[in-house]
Amino acid sequence: MRHRFFSRTVDELNAGFESATHRGRSEPGPGLLIIGAGMMGREHLRVAQLLGRARIAGIHDTHPQSVRLAADEYRHRCGEGLPIFNSLPDACASASVDAVIICTPNHTHRQILETVAASGKPVLLEKPMATTLQDAQAIVNLAASRSAFIQLGMQYRYKAQYVEAFHEVKVRKSLGAVKTISMAEYRPPFLDKVGQWNKFNRFSGGTLVEKCCHYFDLINLMAEARPVKVYASGGRAVNFLDFEQAGQASDIDDHAMVVIEYENAVRATFILNMFSQELYEEMVVSGPLGRLVASEEASFKPSTGSRARLQVEVAGHPDYDGRQLGYPAAIEQSGHYGATYFEHLALMDRLEGKAVDAATPEQALWSLVVASAAQHSIATGSPVDISKYCADQGLDL
Ligand SMILES: NC(=O)c1ccc[n+]([C@@H]2O[C@H](COP(=O)([O-])OP(=O)(O)OC[C@H]3O[C@@H](n4cnc5c(N)ncnc54)[C@H](O)[C@@H]3O)[C@@H](O)[C@H]2O)c1
């Protein structure tokens, strides 16, 4: 499994901000259709408008309140009405639509993608690509059978601290060969969603699939090899223990500890805790020359920015004692501390035929393999042999 690694630094990305943001340019740009105008769909709308390289061709959503909110926000930002499509096939077929962003709940991704794919248009599909490995494999197969691309919405790779971490480790080779990777995420419980789909494993795919595919993608990229064994412990300690909807009790986990072994002998850990007050995530990478710590402190409190930091504990390294990182405030505030903005930049570049480093369907599938195997390990109490697990699931890897 070879990956395309990021050769750019945060300073280079920041320097490109002005040239990348073409507000007021005369040509209209490609038309974007956003399917699902909930929290993430509205973030995509906001970011696309900030970047200004695309037209908003419209949105499609089955929930009137989401449509209303998106239309209100859109009018507030640009003073214009947001085109609304009531039918998904009509929206996909519209001549005004050049590319489609799918940001509906996880369990709907495969079916909606299949309808969109019939239009032959390029797609940005939100993470996780699917709730089951079988659906994820079907999406990989679909992507391989069409000429228009499917980009996956795992944009954490564009967070400032990980851009710099990949550059240090993969381009500057500051640590020597990677030996161990430890990631952790501490955060508050899952937020409210339309229909509360994220409180149920059958809609979200499970907590490690829904949320942590981002982190397994980053760990897989950093390990630069295939996972061979996963074991995990986790469960439900605090969150949504009494939550019920239509007589169904919430069944999602709120904490987990995962160990991953890779075929190149890299070992990794991942810790999830979802009953913290504030957000904190961290990646620690070690090699023979030293240790790198990439971290981010953030908050759901309004107007609280993130504090991203990189420390490279290698003798003589200028960042031995650490330094703060970040993007311009307009980018950081547009969503996910700027990561979504750079995902859109990649989408626009790709629509112009340029090579980009956004997540591929195969990379998204591998993030789900780790997540799904970890959930299986939690359920069975046993380590999971990835080859056997994938074969049992009918995956063609
Ligand atoms: N990349 C990221 O960092 C990130 C962050 C948050 C959410 N997401 C992903 O984005 C997706 C949406 O999450 P969200 O937080 O916006 O959820 P949400 O509940 O806020 O919004 C989902 C929207 O989809 C609409 N919808 C549901 N079924 C539909 C259908 N069949 N056709 C059209 N619209 C439909 C709902 O009415 C709702 O407005 C999920 O896959 C989620 O995992 C990704």
Side-chain angles (χ1 to χ4, degrees), residues 39-40 61 63 66 106 126-127 155 193-194 197 210:
M39 192 216 87
M40 201 56 206
D61 194 301
H63 185 57
S66 297
N106 307 347
E126 263 305 338
K127 58 57 44 183
Q155 84 284 32
K193 295 289 162 187
V194 175
W197 58 267
E210 150 56 13

Side-chain angles (χ1 to χ4, degrees), residues 365-383:
L365 172 62
W366 277 105
S367 76
L368 282 204
V369 165
V370 176
S372 169
Q375 290 183 174
H376 187 68
S377 180
I378 290 171
T380 59
S382 302

Side-chain angles (χ1 to χ4, degrees), residues 5 28 80-81 94 103 112-113 119 136 152 174-175 182 187 204 208 264 285 293 297 304 332 352 388 391:
F5 280 105
E80 291 171 14
S94 168
C103 23
I112 290 180
L113 178 68
S119 71
L152 266 297
S174 303
L175 308 178
S182 330
R187 56 161 283 167
S204 72
L208 293 180
N264 60 355
V285 188
V293 184
E297 287 178 67
T304 309
E332 292 220 345
E352 289 175 8
K388 180 173 181 324

Side-chain angles (χ1 to χ4, degrees), residues 114-187:
E114 285 173 351
T115 303
V116 173
S119 71
K121 294 177 182 171
V123 176
L124 167 58
L125 173 64
E126 263 305 338
K127 58 57 44 183
M129 67 199 303
T131 52
T132 66
L133 290 181
Q134 290 78 13
D135 281 358
Q137 176 74 66
I139 290 172
V140 169
N141 296 346
L142 175 67
S145 70
R146 70 200 300 261
S147 54
F149 64 81
I150 299 177
Q151 177 175 322
L152 266 297
M154 293 198 298
Q155 84 284 32
Y156 279 30
R157 49 176 70 193
Y158 297 119
K159 284 188 174 194
Q161 70 272 21
Y162 302 129
V163 167
E164 287 291 312
F166 282 115
H167 192 75
E168 280 297 336
V169 176
K170 301 298 176 185
V171 179
R172 295 176 138 188
K173 304 191 185 300
S174 303
L175 308 178
V178 172
K179 298 296 179 190
T180 65
I181 306 160
S182 330
M183 279 207 87
E185 182 190 32
Y186 293 82
R187 56 161 283 167

